[in-house]
Each structure stands twice: as C-alpha cells, then as structure tokens.
Amino acid sequence: RLNGRVTHVDEDGVRWEGHIKDGERHGRGTLFFPDGACQSGRWVDGDMTGRGEYIDEDGSRIEGTWADGDLCGSVTEFDPGGF
C-alpha cells in the first residue's frame, strides 16, 4: 500500500496532490477535477474532514467544515462577481 506524499491521477482524470496512508487520502491535500474545480483540506481515511474549501470552475468558492466527506455546519460562499 502507498504511504507518503504523492501525486496520483485516477481513471476519471481526478488528480490528488497530498498525503496517502495505507492507499487512502490522509492528511492535507488537494483534489483537482477535470472540469477545473478543486477541493483542498484535510482528509482522514479517504474522506475530507475538518476545515477546507471547494473552488468551482467559475471561480466561486465555499469555505466550511466537512465531516466524513460531507459539508456540514456553517459555510461561507464567495462569488467571483462580488455578489
């Protein structure tokens, strides 16, 4: 199983740049999606957990807290147009 800092691209074109533990995303890192969106934060056993952000391909951004891969609690949204 992989451990350490890696750059990995899966069969769907999703790129992970970050840490891996026992073959799972674990620790700080960023997922880059083929459409240009990305998601950065901390992962535990393959799921984003804790504070992080998601930036859509149009530049809009969400900052919030994730638990087991799901966005939960309060979030802050930023619109690239200033609205």
Side-chain angles (χ1 to χ4, degrees), residues 7-16 30-37:
T7 297
H8 173 75
V9 180
D10 71 16
E11 64 276 355
D12 295 323
V14 177
R15 185 176 84 236
W16 166 253
T30 302
L31 277 175
F32 297 91
F33 300 97
D35 65 3

Side-chain angles (χ1 to χ4, degrees), residues 35-38 53-63 76-83:
D35 65 3
C38 65
E53 73 175 356
Y54 174 84
I55 302 173
D56 207 356
E57 70 272 7
D58 67 3
S60 59
R61 182 167 49 108
I62 296 172
E63 291 180 356
T76 304
E77 296 186 54
F78 301 89
D79 186 304
F83 299 103

Side-chain angles (χ1 to χ4, degrees):
R1 294 223 143 181
L2 289 175
N3 288 292
R5 181 150 178 78
V6 301
T7 297
H8 173 75
V9 180
D10 71 16
E11 64 276 355
D12 295 323
V14 177
R15 185 176 84 236
W16 166 253
E17 292 183 5
H19 290 87
I20 297 245
K21 179 181 174 187
D22 296 327
E24 295 282 345
R25 292 186 291 267
H26 195 90
R28 297 219 43 92
T30 302
L31 277 175
F32 297 91
F33 300 97
D35 65 3
C38 65
Q39 186 174 356
S40 297
R42 183 174 169 266
W43 271 257
V44 175
D45 297 327
D47 292 320
M48 190 159 162
T49 300
R51 296 289 302 164
E53 73 175 356
Y54 174 84
I55 302 173
D56 207 356
E57 70 272 7
D58 67 3
S60 59
R61 182 167 49 108
I62 296 172
E63 291 180 356
T65 302
W66 276 257
D68 298 320
D70 296 321
L71 189 59
C72 63
S74 63
V75 299
T76 304
E77 296 186 54
F78 301 89
D79 186 304
F83 299 103

